Amino acid sequence: MQSARMTEKTWEHLCTIRSNGAVFHHSTSHLDRPCLSLYEPIARPNGSFVMAQVGQSLDGRIATPTGDAQDVSGCDGIAHLHRCRALVDAVIVGVGTIVADNPSLSVRAVNGQSPVRVVVDCNGRIPSDAKMLHDGGTPVLVIQADDISRSPISCDVIRLPRRGEGLHPQDILDALSNRSLTSVLVEGGARTIARFLDADLVDRLHVSVAPIIIGSGPMGISLAPVDRLADARRPNVTVYDIGTDIVFDCDFNTAAEVLEASQEGQHILMPNPA
Ligand SMILES: NC(=O)c1ccc[n+]([C@@H]2O[C@H](COP(=O)([O-])OP(=O)(O)OC[C@H]3O[C@@H](n4cnc5c(N)ncnc54)[C@H](OP(=O)(O)O)[C@@H]3O)[C@@H](O)[C@H]2O)c1
């Protein structure tokens, strides 16, 4: 596990990369190495980049059964989430999160630019008085199915065709890319993240674990069941101690290579505990 402690200079460096695409420093030796390896892939995406982030308890919960999700992450977990927001073009949430939390999705815990806010709202459930529609912050895009009547909301609405059980995440990414929004953070909730993971569209997943046990309540990630552990996803994971929380940085692109190699018998996926 690497200890990542953000310094002012390291964050400045990452924000410069994010705005310029490159940075011409004589040396980066004075910067925090673990922070660079955790955040540089987000700040310097190569074309389209999709990350997801879940802030959860030790027992994998993201809220209480009544929906209280305010303080699951510790203060460093919250700063981490806000850094991720500041490094992407757009942050995506499902309408369930708007209804439950009424978030603003802005960058407040660190210095940085707030991303465009995107709500996936297939059936037009977003409340017209949702905070983000009236707070004068960065633009809000609501994505709805093209077969429902137009919602009376004061923001841009993108209308996409239904495919299967809803909107296909690739169609969502294409619509955002047409607006030059190519690096995105899928922030939740579980159902929205699951759609992107199931479509194999997530490059990085950050699971930020706080030392709290909630006991019951919604889980952060909820995918279709698998019968055998051999069918479970095995991303390449690097673990960071960020202070109050631990971040598991899951790289799904590298995992594909490991899986390929294992098919040739070069890797053992699951050691036998016996
Ligand atoms: N701790 C954290 O990191 C964190 C972060 C965010 C949210 N949360 C918590 O998560 C909970 C909400 O999560 P959730 O899973 O219930 O809801 P959600 O993922 O926020 O929203 C799910 C809804 O969004 C719409 N949707 C999303 N993707 C879609 C797609 N590809 N196609 C069609 N519709 C799509 C659907 O709306 P329709 O049902 O109208 O079709 C779906 O039911 C809240 O308790 C919130 O506090 C926690």
Side-chain angles (χ1 to χ4, degrees):
M1 178 157 56
Q2 303 183 43
S3 174
R5 294 291 183 270
M6 185 59 80
T7 64
E8 214 171 294
K9 288 274 175 231
T10 308
W11 182 238
E12 259 174 35
H13 173 86
L14 288 162
C15 290
T16 309
I17 292 177
R18 194 260 179 275
S19 21
N20 299 350
V23 74
F24 302 101
H25 262 304
H26 297 303
S27 154
T28 55
S29 59
H30 59 301
L31 305 179
D32 186 88
R33 287 268 129 218
C35 280
L36 293 183
S37 70
L38 178 59
Y39 295 108
E40 259 199 21
I42 313 167
R44 199 200 295 271
N46 202 358
S48 159
F49 181 78
V50 179
M51 75 164 293
Q53 163 4 104
V54 179
Q56 66 173 44
S57 63
L58 286 173
D59 54 335
R61 317 279 172 183
I62 55 166
T64 67
T66 56
D68 183 4
Q70 276 293 315
D71 294 317
V72 173
S73 298
C75 58
D76 296 320
I78 290 168
H80 169 70
L81 170 62
H82 284 224
R83 280 186 206 113
C84 294
R85 283 181 187 166
L87 295 176
V88 295
D89 298 330
V91 57
I92 301 177
V93 293
V95 68
T97 296
I98 303 298
V99 171
D101 298 347
N102 199 11
S104 72
L105 302 179
S106 59
V107 174
R108 302 179 304 281
V110 300
N111 289 326
Q113 284 183 359
S114 293
V116 169
R117 299 167 290 178
V118 179
V119 181
V120 186
D121 178 26
C122 191
N123 294 303
R125 289 202 288 129
I126 186 168
S128 58
D129 61 352
K131 189 159 66 183
M132 70 168 65
L133 298 176
H134 306 283
D135 64 4
T138 51
V140 176
L141 294 173
V142 173
I143 305 197
Q144 296 184 334
D146 61 6
D147 58 1
I148 64 165
S149 53
R150 287 172 190 273
S151 302
I153 46 173
S154 51
C155 67
D156 274 353
V157 177
I158 298 174
R159 293 167 67 82
L160 296 177
R162 267 180 216 272
R163 286 216 267 149
E165 289 182 8
L167 308 176
H168 198 286
Q170 186 62 63
D171 293 345
I172 295 171
L173 295 179
D174 290 345
L176 297 180
S177 170
N178 287 340
R179 288 162 175 77
S180 302
L181 305 171
T182 53
S183 68
V184 303
L185 163 64
V186 185
E187 193 174 310
R191 278 181 283 174
T192 303
I193 291 178
R195 295 283 195 132
F196 280 85
L197 281 173
D198 277 335
D200 279 332
L201 289 171
V202 176
D203 297 295
R204 291 275 171 136
L205 168 68
H206 285 189
V207 181
S208 179
V209 181
I212 172 177
I213 298 172
I214 303 179
S216 52
M219 308 292 284
I221 302 168
S222 171
L223 301 174
V226 294
D227 291 333
R228 297 169 340 116
L229 278 177
D231 298 326
R233 282 153 206 252
R234 292 170 195 278
N236 186 23
V237 180
T238 311
V239 188
Y240 297 89
D241 164 8
I242 61 165
T244 57
D245 299 38
I246 303 291
V247 171
F248 291 76
D249 178 9
C250 310
D251 180 347
F252 285 96
N253 296 331
T254 317
E257 285 164 26
V258 172
L259 197 62
E260 231 174 72
S262 78
Q263 283 165 353
E264 293 163 19
Q266 292 172 13
H267 286 262
I268 297 168
L269 281 180
M270 192 70 189
N272 185 346

